[in-house]
Amino acid sequence: MPASLQEVKRRIESTKKTGQITGAMQMVSTAKLSQIQKHTTSYQKYAQKIRSVITHLAKSHLLDSATVGSGKSQNGKINTLGMLKQRPVKKTGVVVITSDRGLVGSYNSNVIKQTMQLIDSDKRNKDNTVILAIGGTGADFFKKRGYDVEYEYRGVKDIPTFREVRPIVNNIVAMYDNEQYDELYVCYNHFVNTLTSVFRAEKMLPISAENMGSDDFNSPDENGIAADYETEPSQDAILEVVLPQYAESLVYGAILDAKTSEHSSSSTAMKSASDNARDIISSLELKYNRARQSAITTEITEITGAQAALE
């Protein structure tokens, strides 16, 4: 077999093996996507209920009248009411949720690009921005560009658990309470469907009525009744329970949503790679068959010419 045919044959075999790998990775990502979607759908109901509770508390001005206090987080104990603390913004914290690995299409690049646009807005820069990276890709990107990466968490599970996220929330809130930043945004890719994800940047801290997404919290509801509550044992005791749940639901929900988008992007990227491998194999096989046919034709011509010369 001529050297050119051997080279084409080796490329065909190599591409077939690559296609088998990408096909297997697509199946794994699709299975993970199916599993995490079940968790995400059920958890969204809980998160919406927590958000509804906080919204009603905001309407009743319970957040405004809470005793925020001036104490800071100490010995791992979070000053819960500190999440309501409003102060002049000198530094902005940005939680960036990315993956720890590649082969996920444009998932990471989209989050990083949009986050950089958020940082560049409102006169934010390296000096007044604190990065909290969940995922190695984002952490490495901002470190290389000289940003202050105060916190990073790598190795988030493919199906994150609530227990895994709780220490992340505690660290985030403690850093805010200790005035390492004065406001906090959570940036991630929101899963729409298997082909579409959109960037989201949600303001997490400080918790206030303005963050709840309603245009007018002082207005009555659809029945004309303004929200009002009587609290027992006290409004501070209630907020100490509800506020951490709200913060945890926001971060955990964002990580679940981001992981769903990551698995979807990975599945799509591997499907595209597998399709490309099949196209390359088809092209190479056509090239191989044509070269082989040409070689056979040449051999027949040489034999025929030699026979005619002998006669």
Side-chain angles (χ1 to χ4, degrees), residues 246-271:
Y246 171 72
E248 289 166 353
S249 71
L250 185 59
V251 176
Y252 182 55
I255 292 176
L256 270 179
D257 203 353
K259 271 293 180 182
T260 305
S261 179
E262 178 188 335
H263 294 323
S264 174
S265 183
S266 176
S267 176
T268 302
M270 292 303 99
K271 181 180 184 303

mmCIF file of all heavy atoms in Angstrom, residues 246-271:
data_model
loop_
_atom_site.group_PDB
_atom_site.id
_atom_site.type_symbol
_atom_site.label_atom_id
_atom_site.label_comp_id
_atom_site.label_asym_id
_atom_site.label_seq_id
_atom_site.Cartn_x
_atom_site.Cartn_y
_atom_site.Cartn_z
ATOM 1 N N TYR A 246 -32.687 32.649 52.458
ATOM 2 C CA TYR A 246 -32.765 33.389 51.201
ATOM 3 C C TYR A 246 -31.405 33.433 50.510
ATOM 4 O O TYR A 246 -31.301 33.186 49.299
ATOM 5 C CB TYR A 246 -33.263 34.808 51.456
ATOM 6 C CG TYR A 246 -33.169 35.697 50.232
ATOM 7 C CD1 TYR A 246 -34.029 35.520 49.152
ATOM 8 C CD2 TYR A 246 -32.210 36.698 50.156
ATOM 9 C CE1 TYR A 246 -33.939 36.320 48.017
ATOM 10 C CE2 TYR A 246 -32.116 37.506 49.033
ATOM 11 C CZ TYR A 246 -32.980 37.312 47.970
ATOM 12 O OH TYR A 246 -32.881 38.103 46.853
ATOM 13 N N ALA A 247 -30.346 33.755 51.268
ATOM 14 C CA ALA A 247 -29.000 33.812 50.686
ATOM 15 C C ALA A 247 -28.581 32.452 50.157
ATOM 16 O O ALA A 247 -28.013 32.331 49.062
ATOM 17 C CB ALA A 247 -28.000 34.307 51.735
ATOM 18 N N GLU A 248 -28.855 31.402 50.943
ATOM 19 C CA GLU A 248 -28.495 30.049 50.513
ATOM 20 C C GLU A 248 -29.277 29.644 49.267
ATOM 21 O O GLU A 248 -28.722 29.024 48.350
ATOM 22 C CB GLU A 248 -28.758 29.062 51.650
ATOM 23 C CG GLU A 248 -27.780 29.206 52.812
ATOM 24 C CD GLU A 248 -28.235 28.467 54.063
ATOM 25 O OE1 GLU A 248 -29.384 27.954 54.057
ATOM 26 O OE2 GLU A 248 -27.465 28.422 55.038
ATOM 27 N N SER A 249 -30.551 30.002 49.220
ATOM 28 C CA SER A 249 -31.372 29.639 48.056
ATOM 29 C C SER A 249 -30.882 30.349 46.804
ATOM 30 O O SER A 249 -30.890 29.772 45.716
ATOM 31 C CB SER A 249 -32.841 29.983 48.314
ATOM 32 O OG SER A 249 -33.051 31.385 48.306
ATOM 33 N N LEU A 250 -30.436 31.609 46.953
ATOM 34 C CA LEU A 250 -29.964 32.366 45.802
ATOM 35 C C LEU A 250 -28.675 31.770 45.236
ATOM 36 O O LEU A 250 -28.545 31.548 44.032
ATOM 37 C CB LEU A 250 -29.743 33.828 46.183
ATOM 38 C CG LEU A 250 -29.360 34.781 45.044
ATOM 39 C CD1 LEU A 250 -30.438 34.795 43.967
ATOM 40 C CD2 LEU A 250 -29.132 36.189 45.567
ATOM 41 N N VAL A 251 -27.710 31.472 46.119
ATOM 42 C CA VAL A 251 -26.422 30.933 45.672
ATOM 43 C C VAL A 251 -26.583 29.498 45.177
ATOM 44 O O VAL A 251 -26.074 29.135 44.107
ATOM 45 C CB VAL A 251 -25.370 31.007 46.791
ATOM 46 C CG1 VAL A 251 -24.066 30.352 46.339
ATOM 47 C CG2 VAL A 251 -25.109 32.462 47.181
ATOM 48 N N TYR A 252 -27.289 28.670 45.943
ATOM 49 C CA TYR A 252 -27.472 27.278 45.537
ATOM 50 C C TYR A 252 -28.253 27.198 44.230
ATOM 51 O O TYR A 252 -27.926 26.405 43.331
ATOM 52 C CB TYR A 252 -28.193 26.496 46.635
ATOM 53 C CG TYR A 252 -28.386 25.026 46.322
ATOM 54 C CD1 TYR A 252 -27.299 24.217 45.996
ATOM 55 C CD2 TYR A 252 -29.650 24.450 46.342
ATOM 56 C CE1 TYR A 252 -27.468 22.874 45.707
ATOM 57 C CE2 TYR A 252 -29.834 23.109 46.065
ATOM 58 C CZ TYR A 252 -28.745 22.322 45.744
ATOM 59 O OH TYR A 252 -28.919 20.987 45.454
ATOM 60 N N GLY A 253 -29.302 28.040 44.109
ATOM 61 C CA GLY A 253 -30.075 28.060 42.874
ATOM 62 C C GLY A 253 -29.230 28.482 41.685
ATOM 63 O O GLY A 253 -29.361 27.931 40.593
ATOM 64 N N ALA A 254 -28.338 29.471 41.900
ATOM 65 C CA ALA A 254 -27.458 29.927 40.818
ATOM 66 C C ALA A 254 -26.488 28.829 40.404
ATOM 67 O O ALA A 254 -26.234 28.624 39.211
ATOM 68 C CB ALA A 254 -26.694 31.171 41.259
ATOM 69 N N ILE A 255 -25.930 28.104 41.396
ATOM 70 C CA ILE A 255 -24.987 27.029 41.085
ATOM 71 C C ILE A 255 -25.697 25.886 40.360
ATOM 72 O O ILE A 255 -25.181 25.333 39.379
ATOM 73 C CB ILE A 255 -24.301 26.520 42.369
ATOM 74 C CG1 ILE A 255 -23.378 27.610 42.936
ATOM 75 C CG2 ILE A 255 -23.503 25.250 42.100
ATOM 76 C CD1 ILE A 255 -22.722 27.245 44.253
ATOM 77 N N LEU A 256 -26.896 25.521 40.816
ATOM 78 C CA LEU A 256 -27.672 24.488 40.129
ATOM 79 C C LEU A 256 -27.974 24.899 38.694
ATOM 80 O O LEU A 256 -27.812 24.112 37.751
ATOM 81 C CB LEU A 256 -28.989 24.244 40.878
ATOM 82 C CG LEU A 256 -29.028 23.183 41.974
ATOM 83 C CD1 LEU A 256 -30.423 23.128 42.582
ATOM 84 C CD2 LEU A 256 -28.617 21.813 41.460
ATOM 85 N N ASP A 257 -28.409 26.144 38.543
ATOM 86 C CA ASP A 257 -28.742 26.655 37.213
ATOM 87 C C ASP A 257 -27.509 26.656 36.319
ATOM 88 O O ASP A 257 -27.557 26.253 35.146
ATOM 89 C CB ASP A 257 -29.294 28.074 37.352
ATOM 90 C CG ASP A 257 -30.158 28.482 36.158
ATOM 91 O OD1 ASP A 257 -30.223 27.721 35.179
ATOM 92 O OD2 ASP A 257 -30.768 29.565 36.213
ATOM 93 N N ALA A 258 -26.377 27.107 36.879
ATOM 94 C CA ALA A 258 -25.132 27.162 36.105
ATOM 95 C C ALA A 258 -24.659 25.767 35.719
ATOM 96 O O ALA A 258 -24.190 25.547 34.586
ATOM 97 C CB ALA A 258 -24.051 27.879 36.908
ATOM 98 N N LYS A 259 -24.754 24.813 36.633
ATOM 99 C CA LYS A 259 -24.352 23.444 36.342
ATOM 100 C C LYS A 259 -25.248 22.814 35.270
ATOM 101 O O LYS A 259 -24.779 22.055 34.420
ATOM 102 C CB LYS A 259 -24.387 22.592 37.622
ATOM 103 C CG LYS A 259 -23.102 22.600 38.418
ATOM 104 C CD LYS A 259 -21.985 21.896 37.656
ATOM 105 C CE LYS A 259 -20.687 21.887 38.405
ATOM 106 N NZ LYS A 259 -19.598 21.244 37.646
ATOM 107 N N THR A 260 -26.544 23.139 35.320
ATOM 108 C CA THR A 260 -27.457 22.655 34.285
ATOM 109 C C THR A 260 -27.031 23.183 32.922
ATOM 110 O O THR A 260 -26.977 22.449 31.931
ATOM 111 C CB THR A 260 -28.901 23.098 34.586
ATOM 112 O OG1 THR A 260 -29.274 22.673 35.895
ATOM 113 C CG2 THR A 260 -29.871 22.491 33.579
ATOM 114 N N SER A 261 -26.716 24.477 32.887
ATOM 115 C CA SER A 261 -26.248 25.091 31.643
ATOM 116 C C SER A 261 -24.927 24.483 31.189
ATOM 117 O O SER A 261 -24.708 24.273 29.993
ATOM 118 C CB SER A 261 -26.092 26.601 31.845
ATOM 119 O OG SER A 261 -25.632 27.223 30.678
ATOM 120 N N GLU A 262 -24.051 24.180 32.152
ATOM 121 C CA GLU A 262 -22.751 23.578 31.813
ATOM 122 C C GLU A 262 -22.926 22.212 31.172
ATOM 123 O O GLU A 262 -22.311 21.911 30.135
ATOM 124 C CB GLU A 262 -21.899 23.453 33.074
ATOM 125 C CG GLU A 262 -20.542 22.792 32.840
ATOM 126 C CD GLU A 262 -19.792 22.502 34.132
ATOM 127 O OE1 GLU A 262 -20.041 23.189 35.134
ATOM 128 O OE2 GLU A 262 -18.957 21.572 34.141
ATOM 129 N N HIS A 263 -23.764 21.356 31.762
ATOM 130 C CA HIS A 263 -23.984 20.018 31.199
ATOM 131 C C HIS A 263 -24.638 20.102 29.826
ATOM 132 O O HIS A 263 -24.301 19.331 28.920
ATOM 133 C CB HIS A 263 -24.848 19.190 32.151
ATOM 134 C CG HIS A 263 -24.197 18.871 33.463
ATOM 135 N ND1 HIS A 263 -22.856 18.581 33.564
ATOM 136 C CD2 HIS A 263 -24.695 18.818 34.729
ATOM 137 C CE1 HIS A 263 -22.549 18.345 34.845
ATOM 138 N NE2 HIS A 263 -23.654 18.486 35.551
ATOM 139 N N SER A 264 -25.562 21.046 29.673
ATOM 140 C CA SER A 264 -26.210 21.230 28.377
ATOM 141 C C SER A 264 -25.197 21.677 27.326
ATOM 142 O O SER A 264 -25.186 21.159 26.207
ATOM 143 C CB SER A 264 -27.330 22.265 28.501
ATOM 144 O OG SER A 264 -27.886 22.556 27.238
ATOM 145 N N SER A 265 -24.344 22.630 27.691
ATOM 146 C CA SER A 265 -23.330 23.125 26.759
ATOM 147 C C SER A 265 -22.333 22.028 26.404
ATOM 148 O O SER A 265 -21.913 21.911 25.253
ATOM 149 C CB SER A 265 -22.600 24.319 27.377
ATOM 150 O OG SER A 265 -21.669 24.870 26.482
ATOM 151 N N SER A 266 -21.965 21.213 27.394
ATOM 152 C CA SER A 266 -21.037 20.118 27.149
ATOM 153 C C SER A 266 -21.651 19.087 26.205
ATOM 154 O O SER A 266 -20.991 18.606 25.270
ATOM 155 C CB SER A 266 -20.655 19.448 28.470
ATOM 156 O OG SER A 266 -19.824 18.325 28.250
ATOM 157 N N SER A 267 -22.924 18.762 26.438
ATOM 158 C CA SER A 267 -23.606 17.794 25.572
ATOM 159 C C SER A 267 -23.689 18.306 24.140
ATOM 160 O O SER A 267 -23.425 17.566 23.187
ATOM 161 C CB SER A 267 -25.015 17.528 26.114
ATOM 162 O OG SER A 267 -25.728 16.664 25.255
ATOM 163 N N THR A 268 -24.012 19.590 23.986
ATOM 164 C CA THR A 268 -24.107 20.182 22.652
ATOM 165 C C THR A 268 -22.750 20.214 21.960
ATOM 166 O O THR A 268 -22.635 19.917 20.762
ATOM 167 C CB THR A 268 -24.676 21.609 22.744
ATOM 168 O OG1 THR A 268 -25.966 21.566 23.374
ATOM 169 C CG2 THR A 268 -24.811 22.225 21.364
ATOM 170 N N ALA A 269 -21.708 20.577 22.722
ATOM 171 C CA ALA A 269 -20.358 20.648 22.147
ATOM 172 C C ALA A 269 -19.874 19.271 21.705
ATOM 173 O O ALA A 269 -19.265 19.125 20.632
ATOM 174 C CB ALA A 269 -19.392 21.241 23.170
ATOM 175 N N MET A 270 -20.138 18.234 22.519
ATOM 176 C CA MET A 270 -19.705 16.890 22.163
ATOM 177 C C MET A 270 -20.498 16.335 20.979
ATOM 178 O O MET A 270 -19.961 15.592 20.155
ATOM 179 C CB MET A 270 -19.841 15.955 23.378
ATOM 180 C CG MET A 270 -18.885 16.269 24.516
ATOM 181 S SD MET A 270 -17.130 16.237 23.998
ATOM 182 C CE MET A 270 -16.810 17.992 23.762
ATOM 183 N N LYS A 271 -21.781 16.703 20.895
ATOM 184 C CA LYS A 271 -22.574 16.288 19.735
ATOM 185 C C LYS A 271 -22.014 16.926 18.470
ATOM 186 O O LYS A 271 -21.890 16.266 17.419
ATOM 187 C CB LYS A 271 -24.039 16.696 19.913
ATOM 188 C CG LYS A 271 -24.934 16.262 18.749
ATOM 189 C CD LYS A 271 -26.368 16.689 18.974
ATOM 190 C CE LYS A 271 -27.276 16.176 17.851
ATOM 191 N NZ LYS A 271 -26.842 16.614 16.521
#
